[in-house]
Amino acid sequence: MKLTTEQKAFVEDLLSRMTLEEKIGQMNQESPSIVGGFDVPFEELIEMMTDGRISQEEFGRIMATATQDFHEEDIRAGRVGSMMVNDPRKNNELQKIAVEESRLGIPLIIGFDVIHGFRSVFPIAIGEACSFDDVLFEETARMAARESRAHGINWNFAPMIDAARDSRWGRVSEGPGEDPCLGSRFARAKVRGLQNDRSSLQSYVAACTKHYVAYGACESGRDYNTTSMSVSNLYNVYLPAFRAAMEEGAATVMAAFNDLNGVPCTVNKWLLRDVLKGEMGLEGFVVSDANAIRECVVHGIAEDERDAGIQAVNAGMDMDMGTHIYKDYLQEAVEKGTVPMAVIDEAVRRILSVKVWLGLFENPYVPEADIEAYEKGLPAEHIALCRKAAEESMVLLKNEGALLPLNRKQKISLVGKLADDRNEVCGAWAMAWKPEDCVSIRTGLEAAGADVRYYPCGGPEGELNEEEIARACEEGDVIVAVVGETDAMSGEASSRADTRLPGRQRELLEKLLDSGKPVVTVLMNGRPLALQWEAEHLPAILEAWHLGIRMGDAVAEALLGDVNPSGKLSSSFPAVTGQCPIYYNHPSTGRPGSKSKFTSRYLDAPWDALYPFGHGLSYTSFDYSELRVSEADDALEIAVHLKNTGERAGTEVVQLYIQDVAASLVRPVKELKDYCRLSLAAGEEREIRFSLPKASLGFYDNEGKYRLEDGLFRIFVGGSSRDVLERELRITFA
Ligand code: NOJ
């Protein structure tokens, strides 16, 4: 995000003409408030429904009589800088008030959660990351940017780039998984996709990287819970994706809800001012998460709202999402001198700079033609990209006896409620999909010409129908069971303490297996599940996540062999939940897990992952050989021979890992450093080369300093974090 000299001068001139109230207005984000129909605050109403005091039906009735307040008066008076609205014509109306009726005519920045696509919904991020396809990451973000901008949204609350290693946390679904290297590449590509297509003023949005920071490390995987960690762990694992996003010019950042080592990120001066704005060079602004400034009182870090607001703004929090605390208290705080004017000016300068960079002053409105174009339906190339993304994100976890792919002559009994529910394909945080765009697995199989009959039998919510199960087992040659989680079982506020298949789905699978018919399992879920029993008993398992609107097409193609699965896990899968958090790149222990008693192990579960990071099978096979490593001036040159040894074409993700064998701080047993994705015809072989900058072999210490330490390194290359060739090399950094 770079501004020209003229643009900078424009911002300074505007700033010099603003009253304090107008400045604070820029720092205030509003969402429509629900009014009428009830006499408790809206938040409490939601709570009443969640804890069962009122039913969903009652909630619906109340909402039908309620109206929305879009804060038009405040916008007109210059007391609102940003809105969160998902309605293009309403956005134009609100912009018109801001631009034509407020004293200085400053447009609104309009934000919304466009996490994995807008109307074109792509796979949830943990799934898309399994493609290891940086080009895809960027293309899907670019399409999301165009669709949201055509909807009057110019600021996407994405990418979510929290490293997450504990699948009890429901929000693992929203981010790119457990690894800082993959997470950083994902972050870069997403920022480029959202921000860099400047072919027209309607083609890009401001990215909002979130949640800053270490939200994914919340204790015990319970959402919003506390986070404690060493500085080196923070720098080596949780900050890299944010650093990468800043290097790519991400315009904004959203602070996380959690505290980090005792200080909530919302008021954490060190994190916001020193690290984010100072060291990592954020050029745009920071926004709080929803209601987070007020929550600082509940956190016990602020005595009251006034105190929370003062702490937040002084810590470097530029915009308040949804509490009105800045609006209510900052004027007085500046007058009393508890908040310096320079702090306010800095925040407003940052916010105005993003608005200028977005072109909002020249182009505040969405043309009606753009709105109508998307209302008509999705263009073919959008549908094609949704399908491609879905195809690349599936991971074949197991395929005993080459049960998959099926052939079109087989009679398929399709089982499981999720298989026939097009409303479930998009997953968590999909806010703008339309049912008519969504393809269920059943519809996908039928459209692909499979001989398929459908039997609901049971689903994640607990139901089980014995008669249907008996019929499904009798009538098909092969059973395809679709099991997993509903979209509401992952995402925000959806932590699970038991990450096995929910409901009676395991019982369902047992009954299907009892029939003696071959059972193919398709998983449709938002987190790595604990699959110990499934991995032991089921012959074929395809991890399909929530793949977005074209899920059904992609799953059908994979089952029938029209697409050869190529995804590799972006997160390790535990055997049992008790292993969480679990990740491949854990620090070496003095007693690595083994069969002997006094090692880092469990008495009742394996010590390592069931399916590790990077794992993923194909309908063909790949052979790695001749790993060579040599040292050039600034880089390691690495070459490996790869051959497709099977009988069909396939795509492989070649993964390069290192280990710093002995260092001044304990280092991970393996760390991903690079990867590439390539397709090989049956029998084709190729030499794959990586050039790994020596400067990337270091790590951050507990002072946050980057260190390159001479010594022995191991280099690994292979098709998963567990299955690699290995070389050793002693390196001296000049
Ligand atoms: C809360 C979530 O944590 C965040 O990810 C989201 O962007 C905001 N609310 C706005 O909806």
Side-chain angles (χ1 to χ4, degrees):
M1 197 201 90
K2 286 269 176 279
L3 257 56
T4 61
T5 321
E6 294 76 50
Q7 287 173 323
K8 284 184 186 159
F10 176 85
V11 169
E12 289 311 317
D13 173 60
L14 201 49
L15 194 57
S16 71
R17 290 188 286 123
M18 292 171 84
T19 63
L20 178 55
E21 190 186 24
E22 284 165 339
K23 288 179 184 173
I24 294 169
Q26 287 303 307
M27 300 164 70
N28 178 37
Q29 183 186 64
E30 298 279 0
S31 332
S33 318
I34 312 293
V35 284
F38 50 91
D39 30 56
V40 293
F42 182 59
E43 291 74 28
E44 195 180 332
L45 196 70
I46 301 262
E47 228 174 279
M48 286 166 74
M49 179 185 63
T50 334
D51 64 22
R53 276 181 283 161
I54 56 169
S55 66
Q56 270 196 3
E57 290 68 41
E58 268 171 277
F59 179 79
R61 268 198 300 278
I62 295 173
M63 292 308 291
T65 63
T67 52
Q68 283 180 300
D69 172 6
F70 287 91
H71 308 279
E72 287 93 341
E73 251 334 290
D74 281 335
I75 297 174
R76 195 168 285 117
R79 287 193 291 264
V80 181
S82 171
M83 287 293 297
M84 204 198 298
V85 181
N86 175 22
D87 174 342
R89 292 187 181 89
K90 182 49 91 178
N91 284 339
N92 274 347
E93 264 174 59
L94 299 175
Q95 281 294 27
K96 198 161 189 305
I97 298 175
V99 171
E100 293 177 25
E101 299 177 35
S102 75
R103 191 178 75 91
L104 292 169
I106 303 175
L108 299 162
I109 180 166
I110 297 181
F112 202 66
D113 287 291
V114 182
I115 311 300
H116 52 114
F118 192 64
R119 177 161 174 183
S120 299
V121 182
F122 305 109
I124 52 173
I126 193 173
E128 192 185 358
C130 293
S131 70
F132 283 70
D133 185 343
D134 299 15
V135 177
L136 178 75
F137 301 158
E138 189 171 334
E139 279 178 347
T140 52
R142 194 173 316 128
M143 198 166 277
R146 282 181 173 265
E147 286 188 17
S148 35
R149 193 91 193 227
H151 222 71
I153 296 160
N154 41 53
W155 182 25
N156 288 11
F157 299 144
M160 192 282 213
I161 48 174
D162 293 314
R165 296 163 154 198
D166 189 331
S167 57
R168 289 173 294 180
W169 192 45
R171 306 198 79 168
V172 294
S173 63
E174 296 172 49
E178 73 191 29
D179 181 70
C181 169
L182 177 60
S184 300
R185 300 255 294 248
F186 182 89
R188 278 184 196 283
K190 289 293 176 197
V191 172
R192 284 197 300 270
L194 292 172
Q195 297 194 162
N196 282 12
D197 175 4
R198 305 179 71 83
S199 52
S200 82
L201 281 167
Q202 294 299 352
S203 54
Y204 64 99
V205 296
C208 182
T209 51
K210 66 185 190 183
H211 305 85
Y212 182 75
V213 62
Y215 185 27
C218 55
E219 199 171 280
S220 62
R222 189 153 50 80
D223 208 357
Y224 317 120
N225 204 5
T226 186
T227 300
S228 301
M229 67 175 62
S230 66
V231 171
S232 69
N233 198 24
L234 178 71
Y235 268 78
N236 290 313
V237 179
Y238 294 89
L239 284 180
F242 288 92
R243 191 183 294 280
M246 293 313 114
E247 282 168 9
E248 214 59 61
T252 76
V253 173
M254 186 185 294
F257 283 123
N258 55 283
D259 77 278
L260 177 70
N261 301 332
V263 184
C265 298
T266 309
V267 294
N268 198 317
K269 197 161 176 221
W270 176 69
L271 281 177
L272 300 182
R273 284 205 187 284
D274 301 352
V275 181
L276 181 61
K277 293 180 174 176
E279 192 184 312
M280 300 199 301
L282 169 70
E283 290 168 76
F285 66 88
V286 190
V287 63
S288 72
D289 204 337
N291 217 29
I293 300 184
R294 178 171 298 124
E295 286 162 18
C296 286
V297 180
V298 190
H299 261 301
I301 200 87
E303 276 191 7
D304 52 25
E305 293 188 352
R306 173 183 285 104
D307 184 17
I310 293 171
Q311 287 194 42
V313 75
N314 283 336
M317 177 61 70
D318 304 309
M319 187 181 279
D320 168 10
M321 184 186 282
T323 72
H324 301 161
I325 288 178
Y326 280 5
K327 186 172 143 219
D328 294 343
Y329 299 105
L330 287 194
Q331 176 128 8
E332 178 205 87
V334 173
E335 281 157 10
K336 283 195 174 149
T338 39
V339 173
M341 192 64 170
V343 164
I344 304 286
D345 281 347
E346 185 222 311
V348 179
R349 184 177 289 116
R350 286 173 177 275
I351 293 165
L352 293 177
S353 299
V354 174
K355 290 185 177 184
V356 166
W357 173 84
L358 273 169
L360 292 178
F361 286 86
E362 305 96 76
N363 183 45
Y365 308 118
V366 193
E368 181 62 26
D370 283 15
I371 303 176
E372 280 168 14
Y374 281 108
E375 279 171 351
K376 276 199 210 115
L378 285 175
E381 71 266 24
H382 291 226
I383 294 174
L385 186 62
C386 290
R387 187 165 178 157
K388 177 177 180 227
E391 289 167 359
E392 290 190 12
S393 303
M394 290 176 283
V395 184
L396 183 61
L397 296 177
K398 182 177 176 188
N399 194 17
E400 210 171 77
L403 177 55
L404 284 172
L406 306 175
N407 70 56
R408 281 187 166 75
K409 289 193 200 105
Q410 284 169 296
K411 233 163 104 188
I412 300 173
S413 286
L414 180 67
V415 165
K417 288 189 81 176
L418 289 171
D420 190 34
D421 193 345
R422 64 180 184 177
N423 298 326
E424 284 293 338
V425 298
C426 290
W429 279 117
M431 318 276 280
W433 54 276
K434 299 232 183 308
E436 64 266 29
D437 298 332
C438 297
V439 182
S440 71
I441 294 178
R442 178 185 183 178
T443 312
L445 278 167
E446 286 168 355
D451 182 0
V452 58
R453 262 187 89 166
Y454 173 62
Y455 313 82
C457 296
E461 249 120 23
E463 58 282 44
L464 204 64
N465 183 323
E466 305 271 355
E467 273 167 38
E468 273 174 8
I469 296 173
R471 277 197 296 123
C473 293
E474 208 184 296
E475 290 171 10
D477 303 325
V478 58
I479 298 166
V480 171
V482 180
V483 290
E485 299 176 306
T486 63
D487 64 349
M489 290 174 180
S490 65
E492 187 178 352
S494 302
S495 297
R496 293 179 56 214
D498 180 350
T499 60
R500 287 176 299 179
L501 282 171
R504 297 172 67 190
Q505 296 180 101
R506 153 114 173 248
E507 215 179 312
L508 168 63
L509 292 168
E510 277 170 342
K511 288 185 193 296
L512 298 172
L513 279 176
D514 284 348
S515 70
K517 294 266 169 78
V519 179
V520 171
T521 306
V522 177
L523 294 171
M524 193 169 159
N525 49 300
R527 57 163 55 73
L529 295 166
L531 296 175
Q532 189 170 42
W533 179 88
E534 289 75 5
E536 203 180 319
H537 294 90
L538 299 164
I541 308 177
L542 179 69
E543 175 54 79
W545 309 108
H546 292 121
L547 286 180
I549 59 172
R550 304 316 280 192
M551 174 153 196
D553 293 327
V555 170
E557 287 174 310
L559 292 175
L560 297 169
D562 301 335
V563 154
N564 189 351
S566 58
K568 302 277 186 171
L569 291 179
S570 60
S571 280
S572 301
F573 275 48
V576 301
T577 313
Q579 290 177 295
C580 292
I582 187 161
Y583 46 99
Y584 82 97
N585 44 355
H586 58 84
S588 304
T589 91
R591 294 186 173 191
S594 77
K595 285 193 180 126
S596 38
K597 169 101 177 132
F598 294 101
T599 64
S600 183
R601 68 197 281 260
Y602 299 102
L603 293 177
D604 54 356
W607 64 83
D608 56 355
L610 176 67
Y611 296 117
F613 176 86
H615 167 78
L617 305 173
S618 161
Y619 296 152
T620 187
S621 48
F622 294 97
D623 179 63
Y624 287 79
S625 60
E626 298 167 43
L627 173 60
R628 279 156 293 141
V629 182
S630 61
E631 202 178 337
D633 281 351
D634 298 327
L636 300 185
E637 302 301 337
I638 297 150
V640 73
H641 194 79
L642 178 69
K643 179 168 185 186
N644 178 346
T645 49
E647 274 153 26
R648 53 163 81 214
T651 298
E652 174 68 329
V653 176
V654 181
Q655 302 158 44
L656 166 65
Y657 298 88
I658 66 139
Q659 183 189 18
D660 184 348
V661 177
S664 57
L665 285 178
V666 171
R667 302 299 306 134
V669 293
K670 244 177 226 145
E671 299 174 65
L672 185 71
K673 285 289 169 186
D674 201 353
Y675 55 81
C676 68
R677 182 186 156 88
L678 76 161
S679 300
L680 292 185
E684 190 181 344
E685 39 199 305
R686 260 204 238 163
E687 186 166 87
I688 313 297
R689 292 177 170 276
F690 293 100
S691 183
L692 183 62
K694 284 194 200 164
S696 70
L697 297 174
F699 61 92
Y700 289 92
D701 66 15
N702 276 310
E703 264 81 56
K705 293 220 173 60
Y706 192 69
R707 302 174 73 101
L708 284 165
E709 295 183 352
D710 295 351
L712 194 62
F713 283 78
R714 293 198 179 106
I715 313 293
F716 313 91
V717 178
S720 103
S721 63
R722 192 172 283 166
D723 186 10
V724 286
L725 301 174
E726 179 180 333
R727 292 283 174 274
E728 269 185 8
L729 178 82
R730 191 162 289 283
I731 300 177
T732 312
F733 298 96

